[in-house]
């Protein structure tokens, strides 16, 4: 396996009942790149990244993360792989019953077990400053706006220094200004933490701002793969319908 | 003739569809039962595996115990008061009014205290767990925990089940105590009896074997409420509607199971004494 490949997916198939959501889906994520997976709602994008962290089991094909077939991993090995992956959920998925600080501490205590309380506090303050919300430390998630929740959620994901980031619709439901800010943050995370990322989106502005490479999904299959410029110049009707704005 | 054949074909067709539907329902029920037993096995495994979440466990004990106190206090007091007011005239008729404290104490300790408090807790705690875990499922918080390499089963379910198992017996004993105080208040509406005398009369009729089976079954009530509340919430569907359904079915099933456990406990106690 190529040393630069961090995730390799081969002929992935996933069905829900009779509905085939992913049909022979293949992709490679290279070290340090932002790969945008673009597609209409219901094209299987979110299912794809949930399969990568084995939140969903797939029917056929293989997923290799850091060269390990994730289907063959036992509970402990899977936990080790998951510790290296940050997952930003569409809804933010902040724990409602905890303050922002407790939300950030939650993965830190469990993954970075050797840190002292002082080091944990420093790390939390650092990531909160990175997402521009240093003053939200003692707030409850219910006191935060949609954009703030996404930022805190991103902070919670990066606080454990993941090597891979999986973003599930990071800008959905946000106003254009906040969406742009989130896109900037995604790029900042890539540069600062040297992460490799898969960004699932149907927001073309987010794709334009963040993509090093794009894969377009259509009916559970790879429809086109290439650089942003190739998509912008394409005459294909489906691609044009995405990139017309 | 043709009509008879058509009718027979239609009937056989209906029968076939009904058979398939019934088989599917039976299959669904068996799958649910299997899921429930897998859930129980996971609770047992995660309880005894390394890294028990003590902080969350104590937080849940506080949520279940302390925050249920006002409700249990009111229910327990009214239970004792009403039982005394209702029983007094009958006992007066038989000239057995002196038996009133003992009768109320035995009724409360053996049966009414545990069952009514457990049913109240099934409503408050069971529905709370169902709704909380259900909404965590809907908003992807449980999945988020899983990808943070934390077992949501261990953090959310095991802690809640054990907290309910330990706190509900305490609430039940507390409800018995305030129930007897309510009973004393009820006795004083039409009489005049000192608190100390009433209590000593009440407990002169109660022995250890009235108390022990009630306490033992209280632990099972707590476990049932915790397990059902968590099971329904943890396995809630995807939409917001499923949160309501999870809370509702947690209350219904937990209440039903409390009654069934009580019936079994009474039978076992009866056989052993």
């Amino acid at each position: 396996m190529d040393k630069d490949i961090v995730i390799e997916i081969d002929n992935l198939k996933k069905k829900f009942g009779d509905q085939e959501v992913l049909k022979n889906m293949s992709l490679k994520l290279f070290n340090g790149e932002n790969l945008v997976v673009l597609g209409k709602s219901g094209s299987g994008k979110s299912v794809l990244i949930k399969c990568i962290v084995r939140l969903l089991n797939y029917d056929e094909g293989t997923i290799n993360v850091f060269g390990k077939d994730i289907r063959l991993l036992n509970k402990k090995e899977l936990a080790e792989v998951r510790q290296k992956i940050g997952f930003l959920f569409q809804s933010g998925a902040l724990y409602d019953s905890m303050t922002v600080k407790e939300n950030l501490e939650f993965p830190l205590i469990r993954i970075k077990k050797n840190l002292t309380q002082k080091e944990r506090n420093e790390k939390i303050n650092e990531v909160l400053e990175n997402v521009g919300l240093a003053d939200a430390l003692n707030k409850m998630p219910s006191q935060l706006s949609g954009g703030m929740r996404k930022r805190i959620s991103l902070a919670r994901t990066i606080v454990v220094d993941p090597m891979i980031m999986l973003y599930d619709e990071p800008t959905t439901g946000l106003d254009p200004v906040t969406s742009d800010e989130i896109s900037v943050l995604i790029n900042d995370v890539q540069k600062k933490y040297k992460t490799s990322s898969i960004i699932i989106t149907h927001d073309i502005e987010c794709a334009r701002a963040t993509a090093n490479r794009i894969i377009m999904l259509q009916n559970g299959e790879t429809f086109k793969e290439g650089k942003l410029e190739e998509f912008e110049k394409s005459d294909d009707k489906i691609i044009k319908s995405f990139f017309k704005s | 003739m043709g009509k008879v054949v058509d009718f027979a074909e239609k009937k056989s067709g209906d029968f076939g569809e009904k058979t398939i539907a019934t088989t599917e329902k039976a299959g669904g029920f068996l799958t649910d039962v299997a899921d429930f037993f897998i859930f129980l096995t996971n609770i047992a495994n995660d309880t005894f595996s390394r890294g028990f979440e003590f902080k969350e466990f104590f937080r849940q004990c506080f949520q279940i115990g302390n925050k249920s106190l006002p409700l249990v206090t009111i229910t327990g007091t009214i239970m004792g008061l009403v039982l005394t007011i209702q029983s007094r005239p009958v006992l007066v008729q038989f000239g057995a009014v002196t038996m009133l404290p003992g009768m109320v104490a035995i009724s409360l300790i053996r049966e009414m205290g545990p069952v009514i408090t457990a049913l109240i807790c099934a409503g408050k705690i069971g529905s709370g767990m169902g709704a909380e875990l259900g909404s965590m499922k809907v908003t992807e918080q449980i999945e988020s925990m899983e990808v943070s390499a934390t077992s949501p089963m261990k953090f959310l379910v095991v802690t809640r089940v054990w907290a309910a198992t330990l706190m509900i017996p305490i609430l039940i004993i507390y409800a018995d105590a305030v129930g007897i105080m309510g009973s004393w208040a009820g006795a004083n509406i039409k009489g005049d009896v000192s608190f100390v005398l009433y209590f000593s009369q009440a407990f002169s009729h109660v022995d250890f074997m009235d108390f022990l089976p009630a306490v033992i079954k209280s632990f099972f009530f707590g476990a049932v409420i915790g397990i059902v509340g968590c099971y329904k919430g943890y396995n809630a569907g995807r939409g917001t509607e499923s949160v309501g359904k999870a809370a509702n079915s947690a209350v219904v099933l937990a209440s039903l199971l409390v009654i069934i456990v009580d019936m079994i406990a009474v039978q076992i106690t009866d056989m052993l004494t």
Side-chain angles (χ1 to χ4, degrees), chain A residues 74-219:
Chain A
N74 61 30
K75 216 172 165 182
K76 197 181 160 208
E77 291 166 335
L78 181 65
E80 280 167 12
V81 169
R82 280 175 172 172
Q83 286 177 10
K84 295 175 188 166
I85 301 176
F87 196 119
L88 183 74
F89 285 86
Q90 195 171 343
S91 59
L94 292 177
Y95 309 130
D96 289 333
S97 58
M98 300 180 195
T99 62
V100 167
K101 188 187 176 195
E102 287 165 341
N103 261 283
L104 268 67
E105 244 175 357
F106 188 87
L108 209 51
I109 289 170
R110 287 160 180 83
I111 295 174
K112 303 258 174 189
K113 290 176 184 163
N114 298 329
L115 294 184
T116 62
Q117 185 60 46
K118 192 182 165 215
E119 287 168 329
R120 273 204 293 269
N121 289 343
E122 280 169 6
K123 188 77 189 162
I124 288 168
N125 289 331
E126 179 202 316
V127 289
L128 280 178
E129 269 168 32
N130 286 343
V131 297
L133 285 171
D135 53 347
L137 195 67
N138 295 314
K139 285 189 174 159
M140 295 300 285
S142 56
Q143 296 172 292
L144 306 172
S145 68
M148 286 163 91
R149 287 171 77 98
K150 276 269 163 74
R151 283 160 178 259
I152 298 294
S153 187
L154 181 57
R156 187 181 63 182
T157 312
I158 57 177
V159 79
V160 289
D161 302 320
M163 295 164 83
I164 299 173
M165 283 293 299
L166 305 175
Y167 298 92
D168 189 6
E169 308 272 12
T171 56
T172 297
L174 301 177
D175 62 84
V177 178
T178 314
S179 294
D180 289 347
E181 287 169 2
I182 295 288
S183 299
V184 170
L185 272 178
I186 291 172
N187 288 332
D188 287 349
V189 167
Q190 181 197 19
K191 280 177 204 143
K192 190 159 186 183
Y193 295 91
K194 311 265 182 268
T195 54
S196 319
S197 311
I198 296 181
I199 302 147
I200 300 291
T201 189
H202 53 67
D203 174 7
I204 208 65
E205 291 311 320
C206 173
R208 279 189 177 121
T210 57
N212 297 127
R213 198 158 57 90
I214 297 177
I215 287 182
M216 190 167 184
L217 282 189
Q218 178 78 359
N219 299 324

Side-chain angles (χ1 to χ4, degrees), chain B residues 49 73 76 82 89 105 134 139 160 167 188-189 212:
Chain B
S49 64
T73 306
V82 169
T139 54
R160 279 167 174 76
M167 295 316 289
N188 273 289
I189 293 172
L212 185 68

Side-chain angles (χ1 to χ4, degrees), chain A residues 50 53 55 75 79 82-83 85 87 89-91 93-98 106-107 110-111 156 168, chain B residues 46 53 55-56 59 132 135-136 138-151 155 238:
Chain A
K50 285 188 177 175
V53 285
L55 278 176
K75 216 172 165 182
R82 280 175 172 172
Q83 286 177 10
I85 301 176
F87 196 119
F89 285 86
Q90 195 171 343
S91 59
L94 292 177
Y95 309 130
D96 289 333
S97 58
M98 300 180 195
F106 188 87
R110 287 160 180 83
I111 295 174
R156 187 181 63 182
D168 189 6
Chain B
D46 281 339
E53 298 278 356
K55 197 179 164 194
E56 180 64 10
R59 200 177 75 86
E132 189 184 6
S135 66
M136 286 185 83
V138 169
T139 54
E140 299 174 310
Q141 292 175 49
I142 290 181
E143 287 184 339
S144 166
M145 237 171 236
E146 229 170 297
V147 293
S148 304
T150 303
S151 163
F155 186 80
R238 285 281 159 194

